[in-house]
Amino acid sequence: MGTVTIGVSIAVPEPHGSELQQLRAGFGDAAAHGIPTHVTLLPPTEVDEASLPAVEAHLAEVAAAGRAFPMRLSGTGTFRPVSPVVFVRIVEGAEACTELQQLVRDPAGPAARELQFPYHPHVTVAHGIDEAAMDRAFEDLACYEAEWPCTGFALYEQDADGVWRKLREFPFGGSVVPPQNGRMERGSVPIR
């Protein structure tokens, strides 16, 4: 077995996820179609493939202790000039995302990871494109709004083609949900 590149994130649900992905592609971001619209909890991290079961067990424990929380996006921000990124701001749910990513990256756990920059939850809508397109993304989405209940997160793997594919979802709570990959998984009851 070799190594794999994994990431953990909160998916932006439909119709918002596809809408933001199409807008990102429209700004000229070539990576848009290979990256589902998300809020990062664990950035791209290389791990031994043999450690994936331990990572999944750790994430299941984090999710089992978690509770749904409201997420609301509003307006834009940027990390320029430090990093060539324009993003949609998280105005509700940021604190919960921050706590969650700390649990995911627990230094004693199998997904331990130091960050290159301080954690700042956001939804990327432009990355590494020309400045005029970055400015357009910043301006065009300045009034963007979306909200939903965050009910869990997912583990992704980046394939050799650079596309991120979901390996497993981790709903908050503790009831059993039907498997997507033939295995029973821990999960939460739906929010009512």
Side-chain angles (χ1 to χ4, degrees), residues 37-59:
T37 307
H38 68 281
V39 177
T40 300
L41 298 176
L42 176 71
T45 302
E46 193 171 286
V47 298
D48 288 330
E49 192 172 1
S51 70
L52 280 178
V55 170
E56 288 190 25
H58 169 67
L59 296 176

Side-chain angles (χ1 to χ4, degrees), residues 36-108:
T37 307
H38 68 281
V39 177
T40 300
L41 298 176
L42 176 71
T45 302
E46 193 171 286
V47 298
D48 288 330
E49 192 172 1
S51 70
L52 280 178
V55 170
E56 288 190 25
H58 169 67
L59 296 176
E61 286 180 18
V62 171
R67 295 292 173 257
F69 58 90
M71 289 280 282
R72 188 163 64 90
L73 309 180
S74 181
T76 52
T78 184
F79 295 131
R80 294 183 293 176
V82 175
S83 182
V85 172
V86 171
F87 57 86
V88 175
R89 295 181 309 120
I90 297 173
V91 296
E92 186 174 7
E95 184 176 311
C97 290
T98 300
E99 292 172 7
L100 196 54
Q101 66 86 29
Q102 289 172 333
L103 294 170
V104 167
R105 294 185 311 102
D106 182 342

Side-chain angles (χ1 to χ4, degrees), residues 39-192:
V39 177
T40 300
L41 298 176
L42 176 71
T45 302
E46 193 171 286
V47 298
D48 288 330
E49 192 172 1
S51 70
L52 280 178
V55 170
E56 288 190 25
H58 169 67
L59 296 176
E61 286 180 18
V62 171
R67 295 292 173 257
F69 58 90
M71 289 280 282
R72 188 163 64 90
L73 309 180
S74 181
T76 52
T78 184
F79 295 131
R80 294 183 293 176
V82 175
S83 182
V85 172
V86 171
F87 57 86
V88 175
R89 295 181 309 120
I90 297 173
V91 296
E92 186 174 7
E95 184 176 311
C97 290
T98 300
E99 292 172 7
L100 196 54
Q101 66 86 29
Q102 289 172 333
L103 294 170
V104 167
R105 294 185 311 102
D106 182 342
R113 157 94 197 249
E114 291 294 322
L115 298 179
Q116 183 178 2
F117 300 105
Y119 183 74
H120 181 86
H122 64 281
V123 177
T124 298
V125 291
H127 180 240
I129 58 178
D130 69 70
E131 288 297 314
M134 297 281 269
D135 291 343
R136 189 164 55 92
F138 187 86
E139 292 165 13
D140 287 0
L141 294 173
C143 294
Y144 187 84
E145 298 277 338
E147 60 184 299
W148 68 92
C150 177
T151 59
F153 56 86
L155 172 65
Y156 293 82
E157 180 180 343
Q158 187 178 38
D159 287 343
D161 59 5
V163 174
W164 287 91
R165 291 184 173 80
K166 188 184 327 178
L167 295 179
R168 181 174 168 190
E169 291 186 33
F170 296 89
F172 296 137
S175 67
V176 176
V177 294
Q180 287 189 328
N181 56 4
R183 298 184 317 215
M184 293 305 290
E185 301 174 8
R186 303 281 301 163
S188 71
V189 290
I191 292 181
R192 299 190 199 299

